[in-house]
Structures are given as structure tokens and as C-alpha cells.
Amino acid sequence: MPSWSDTVRFAFQPVVNLTTGGVAALEILARPEAGDILAQARRDPELDGRLAALAIRAAARKETLLPLHVNVFAGTLADLGGLAALRDAVREAGRLPWEVTVDIGPPYTHVPQHALLDSVAALRGEGFRICADGVGDGDVPLRLLTDLAPELMKLDVSLLARSPAVRAMRTLCEELGALLSVEGVETELQCAAAVSAGAQLAQGDLFAPPARLPVADVYVPVLTPGVTETSRSGPSVRQFVRPAALLPATASAGQVRALLTGSSDVSGVLLVDGSGVPVRSVHRSRFLLSMSGRYGHALYADRPAAKLGDPPRTVGVDATAWEVLDVVADGDRDRTSDDVAVVDRYGRCVGVVRLADLVRALSESRVEEAAGLNPLTRLPGSDAITGEVDRRIADGRMFALSWLDVDHFKQVNDGAGFAAGDDLIRAVGRALQLAASGATHVGHIGGDDFLVLADPDTLDPLANSVLDTPWTAGGRSITLSLATVLCAPGSVTDHREAAACLAPLKKAAKALNGASWVLGRAGLPGHEIRRGAGTAPAPAGFGWADRAGSDRLTS
């Protein structure tokens, strides 16, 4: 009588890096040909553990070098502890634990949390990577998710329609140092939404459907890069990590040659010690050149490959793209094309990054940034500010959104000329930039309108600096108006609501005489006059005109 294991086949679906367009890993999916083994596995931890082990052995038979994702129910981990069957299968397959990510799936209800966390800690201690699967569409408690501290979170594609929830997950990933992946992507529109949401990884039929044979070539549409990193120090290196080709430090040159000639997409091999720490880096072109020379194979084939390698270049998994470029720039110029190893806190290799990926992405981000700058002041436009407003709302942070403009700017242009008006706008923009500190963001949204996003405790120095400056245009004195809305956590839902709260404060500021500043609080009536009094007259020497045009906020 055939065993249940004879009726289970496995399919492989690529996990795609949305930044590099390459395959980051393969998820192994059980495909029973008869019966409902998966439903039984949900109730039977031992059966689920055996399925996970069979998945690893199935991948070993396909001889794929890519990192693997294997699915395990949360209840299985809590019941079976370290998953002995899975660990044995990984060892027998010749794979390193950090090449395997355990995708923990729901249900979590009635699962002993302490036992689950102890099991996760044991797996992580051996080097396995942890993924929280079904987040946002399952029953995983938020506190447990935080305690798990996974290296990766997977969201169902249906959640992309609920942008606040996705932003919240993205924020949580940033806090935990985790990557965000979207599952079930079937259309280019969904792929674009995943990128806009800040996901670094994705999988689904759009890229490649599950197949019996592992694939390395996938379809990835051309996409406009999303806002995937808010740090001013640059995008995280996690976005660019590719799978590493690893061999033991004792590997011979012949073993390295076999790996390189059998895998044309491998640009280099890292030799690692027993703990997975890189000890030598073998560059594809230099190595093959040495081997192909006269007597090269005879001289080197049976010798240690380490003799043809170089000291590895490494960066921590929390490094930024700019820090990787610093590592490359500080090294030998002949090695600028070498892969840079990315290591975890224990020094173990979790992947590599390629210089070409970094340069391309950073160049694209600079082009995108430049396209959004105001040509007069070289300050970002409203999109940059409103995007940061939405991030602070999602983070639950209190913030101050301010609007500033030049009083009667049309009359300034009419009386002093547009060149004097342009000089004035540039000067105001420079003053705002100089007064900005810490997490303050300054934007020029057109004409004489500026937006300033700041922490509330930085408001007074900024306002005093700009409003106390004696402004002139064409020899005539000019004043500025400033309106600020303080937004406490929960007081506004997005940047549009914050802009709506700011609109009446702008009008109140413009109605005051001289340099003015009006401050209000989102959701509360009334406002406080910090500067100015009475009704603002037209400036001397200029004709009166309707101010409606300068009472506009572009959001």
C-alpha cells in the first residue's frame, strides 16, 4: 500500500527582489495528488514537520543553489520545538541553515506562545531565518508578531487595497528590521502597488507560477521606484541582497570551477567557515582566467580554492547602500566588480550585493528626486512633504505642518519686477533650509508658497529666524505670513485632512498686519495668534489686488 508521502509532489515559486529584478529565493509548496494532507498537517505537528523535511529533500534533488522557503504551521513549531526532521534534512542536503527561511503560518489561536517563541529562538540560534506568513490576513496577534521579530513578513495581495494597513505593516517592518513581501501578485497594477507600498519582495503568477522545476528567469515589469526607505542616510542594503554562492573554506579549485561553469548567473563564490562566516571571496572572471591559462587546471584543480581568492568585503545587514559604496571605494580598484558579502550580527553570510545594482538604484533615486525639485529653489515639491506627513501619521507621531508665503507677492512682481521676485523666493527658500533642523522637511510648492513639516519643539526657532529677517524686494519692505497646524496622533487620517485643517489658518494669517504667525490644532476650533495684529493693508508703493491666488495650498 503506497505511503502518503508517495502522493505528495512539490512545486517551486520564485520570491522576486523588486529592486534588482532577480530571484531572491524559492518557496517550496506541497501539492498533494490525493487526499487533504495539508489539512491533516494543520492538526498533526509530526506530519507537518515531515512535510517540511520532504520539501527540503525535493529541492536537493533539483540541485538548486537558491535559498529556500519552507512552510510550517505555528502549532507545529510550538509542539515540535526545533523541528529535528527539518534540521536533519537540511544537513543531509548539504545546505546551510541560513540558506533556509522557515515561513511560519497561521492559525495562531490556541498556540502556546512561550513554546512558539522558544522554538523560534532555537531555530534562529542555529542560523535559520524566520518569516511571518499570512500577516494581516490571519490571526497572528500584533504583540506576538513583535516578539517573533521575523526577518521577513509576507502580506496577501488583497491587503494592498487597504493602504493604511499596509503602511502600518511597513512601519512595523522598519522598526523590526524586517523585509516586506507581497504574495499572490497577478497583475502589473498589483506589482506597482506593492512597490508603492514599500515592499522589497513579491511572488505570484505575474513573475512565475509554481512549477515542478525551479526557475531563475522571471518576468518583472518596469516600475517606477517607490518610497521604500525614509532614512536620510540612504536605502537599506537589504533591498539589494542577492543569493550568495557558498562553498566550504576547504573547497578545491575544481569544485569552485564546477559551480561557476554550471551556473552562468553566479558572479562569484564565497568560501565560508563552519559557522558560515566568509573567509575568502572568489571572483568569477579572475578565477576562470587563472584556471584557463596554460597548465592552470593542472596546477590548481586539486588545490584549495582559497589560494585563488581574496579577503572578502563585508557589510552588516543593517548597512545602507552608501556604506557599501564606501567599502568598495576604500578597496583595490581592480576589485570594484566583486560581490560584497552581507553578514548578520554573528558574521554569517546572508547574501551578496552587486555594485551595479546599487549604482543603478541610487542613480534612479537621484533622477526621481531631481525631477521633483522646484527649479527656482531646488527644494522638493508637495509630494515629498505629503508623503512624509502620511508616514508620520502611520507612525503615530505628533507633527507640525506649516505653510508660509510672501504677503502680496503679485504686487511684488508687478512693482519690482519678476527678477526681484525670483531673488526674494530663492532667499526665503535658503532661509528656511538654514533654519531647518533635525527631522524638519522644507518644500517649495510653487510661486511664493512653502510647506514646512517639523517636530513641534523646533517651531519657535524656525519661525523667529524667518519672520524676524528684514525682507526687501526692489528696495521695498516685504513681510511673510506663517500658518501652522499641530497634529496630535489620531487627529488626522492623512495629508489631505491635515491640509484641510491648515487652510482656514492660512486665511487667518493673511488677514493680519505685518509679519504674522497663526497656530491651530487639528480637530479643535479656534487658533492662536503668535505674530501680527489687525487687518493687513496693501504695501506702500504697490497697487491693491485680489489675494485669492496666494491663499491656495497645493497638497
Side-chain angles (χ1 to χ4, degrees):
M1 183 175 179
S3 166
W4 64 266
S5 60
D6 296 331
T7 66
V8 178
R9 299 293 180 265
F10 292 92
F12 302 87
Q13 185 168 48
V15 179
V16 176
N17 186 314
L18 293 173
T19 300
T20 65
V23 177
L26 292 171
E27 181 174 355
I28 316 170
L29 303 167
R31 292 289 186 261
E33 295 182 348
D36 197 349
I37 297 297
L38 296 180
Q40 296 178 42
R42 185 180 290 110
R43 300 186 297 269
D44 185 345
E46 185 176 348
L47 175 59
D48 190 34
R50 292 173 65 189
L51 271 175
L54 284 174
I56 294 295
R57 293 189 174 99
R61 289 194 294 271
K62 304 302 180 183
E63 298 183 344
T64 175
L65 296 174
L66 289 165
L68 304 173
H69 284 237
V70 60
N71 294 285
V72 174
F73 290 112
T76 298
L77 266 183
D79 189 82
L80 294 184
L83 281 179
L86 173 64
R87 298 195 331 261
D88 291 344
V90 170
R91 184 175 58 255
E92 292 166 7
R95 301 302 294 258
L96 298 169
W98 39 95
E99 295 179 283
V100 178
T101 297
V102 179
D103 287 11
I104 306 174
Y108 289 85
T109 304
H110 307 307
V111 173
Q113 294 190 10
H114 287 297
L116 174 60
L117 293 174
D118 287 345
S119 298
V120 166
L123 285 174
R124 184 176 277 131
E126 293 186 29
F128 289 92
R129 297 167 65 79
I130 303 298
C131 166
D133 205 351
V135 175
D137 199 34
D139 61 344
V140 55
L142 186 59
R143 180 176 177 179
L144 175 60
L145 188 61
T146 303
D147 291 340
L148 284 174
E151 284 80 17
L152 174 65
M153 292 191 199
K154 289 187 178 180
L155 306 184
D156 187 83
V157 71
S158 61
L159 280 183
L160 293 177
R162 299 173 174 85
S163 56
V166 177
R167 284 200 302 271
M169 287 298 103
R170 170 64 184 167
T171 300
L172 181 58
C173 283
E174 290 176 351
E175 291 293 325
L176 297 176
L179 295 178
L180 181 65
S181 181
V182 177
E183 296 183 292
V185 176
E186 297 181 349
T187 67
E188 293 192 7
L189 205 59
Q190 291 173 336
C191 184
V195 173
S196 297
Q200 297 98 347
L201 304 173
Q203 59 190 106
D205 288 355
L206 173 68
F207 312 107
R212 292 290 176 86
L213 293 176
V215 298
D217 295 325
V218 294
Y219 168 73
V220 181
V222 178
L223 298 166
T224 300
V227 179
T228 57
E229 177 66 39
T230 60
S231 170
R232 292 189 177 187
S233 58
S236 169
V237 73
R238 295 170 187 264
Q239 296 176 223
F240 307 96
V241 174
R242 289 177 176 265
L246 304 177
L247 283 176
T250 55
S252 68
Q255 290 175 295
V256 172
R257 183 177 184 276
L259 192 158
L260 291 175
T261 55
S263 306
S264 59
D265 59 328
V266 174
S267 56
V269 176
L270 287 173
L271 305 179
V272 298
D273 65 15
S275 300
V277 176
V279 294
R280 300 293 282 179
S281 173
V282 179
H283 184 267
R284 180 187 187 92
S285 298
R286 294 198 299 274
F287 175 84
L288 292 179
L289 186 63
S290 298
M291 291 290 287
S292 62
R294 192 176 184 183
Y295 309 122
H297 189 272
L299 285 173
Y300 298 117
D302 297 325
R303 292 192 173 188
K307 292 184 177 297
L308 295 175
D310 299 288
R313 292 174 168 177
T314 62
V315 295
V317 73
D318 295 320
T320 67
W322 294 110
E323 289 174 310
V324 178
L325 292 184
D326 288 341
V327 169
V328 174
D330 289 342
D332 190 335
R333 288 188 177 184
D334 293 335
R335 297 186 60 195
T336 54
S337 62
D338 287 21
D339 293 341
V340 176
V342 181
V343 298
D344 64 15
R345 58 178 176 168
Y346 302 107
R348 302 176 303 206
C349 180
V350 299
V352 296
V353 290
R354 295 179 181 174
L355 181 63
D357 290 336
L358 298 182
V359 172
R360 181 173 59 251
L362 293 173
S363 297
E364 288 173 351
S365 68
R366 285 292 183 259
V367 170
E368 290 291 318
E369 180 182 332
L373 297 180
N374 186 286
L376 185 62
T377 59
R378 308 305 294 167
L379 289 172
S382 61
D383 286 348
I385 303 298
T386 55
E388 182 61 26
V389 167
D390 286 337
R391 281 188 286 275
R392 295 197 184 196
I393 292 172
D395 291 346
R397 296 170 56 188
M398 186 170 184
F399 63 89
L401 181 62
S402 300
W403 163 88
L404 179 140
D405 84 339
V406 178
D407 293 330
H408 312 296
F409 183 64
K410 184 178 184 302
Q411 290 83 340
V412 173
N413 274 341
D414 290 346
F418 70 88
D422 286 351
D423 288 342
L424 176 62
I425 293 302
R426 279 191 285 263
V428 172
R430 286 194 297 270
L432 284 171
Q433 283 183 294
L434 290 172
S437 61
T440 301
H441 296 259
V442 178
H444 182 191
I445 59 177
D448 62 325
D449 294 325
F450 294 86
L451 281 179
V452 180
L453 176 63
D455 292 333
D457 58 0
T458 66
L459 277 176
D460 283 332
L462 185 145
N464 292 336
S465 174
V466 177
L467 296 179
D468 287 343
T469 298
W471 299 102
T472 61
R476 299 174 174 87
S477 295
I478 303 298
T479 58
L480 308 179
S481 292
L482 178 66
T484 299
V485 59
L486 295 178
C487 298
S491 62
V492 291
T493 58
D494 60 17
H495 70 269
R496 294 175 182 83
E497 191 171 343
C501 294
L502 189 56
L505 300 176
K506 295 190 303 177
K507 294 181 179 179
K510 295 296 289 185
L512 296 175
N513 184 25
S516 60
W517 180 19
V518 166
L519 184 144
R521 289 168 174 77
L524 298 177
H527 59 265
E528 173 188 351
I529 298 176
R530 293 282 186 97
R531 292 281 191 100
T535 302
F542 293 101
W544 177 261
D546 185 8
R547 291 198 309 267
S550 56
D551 283 339
R552 175 179 53 81
L553 171 64
T554 302
S555 62

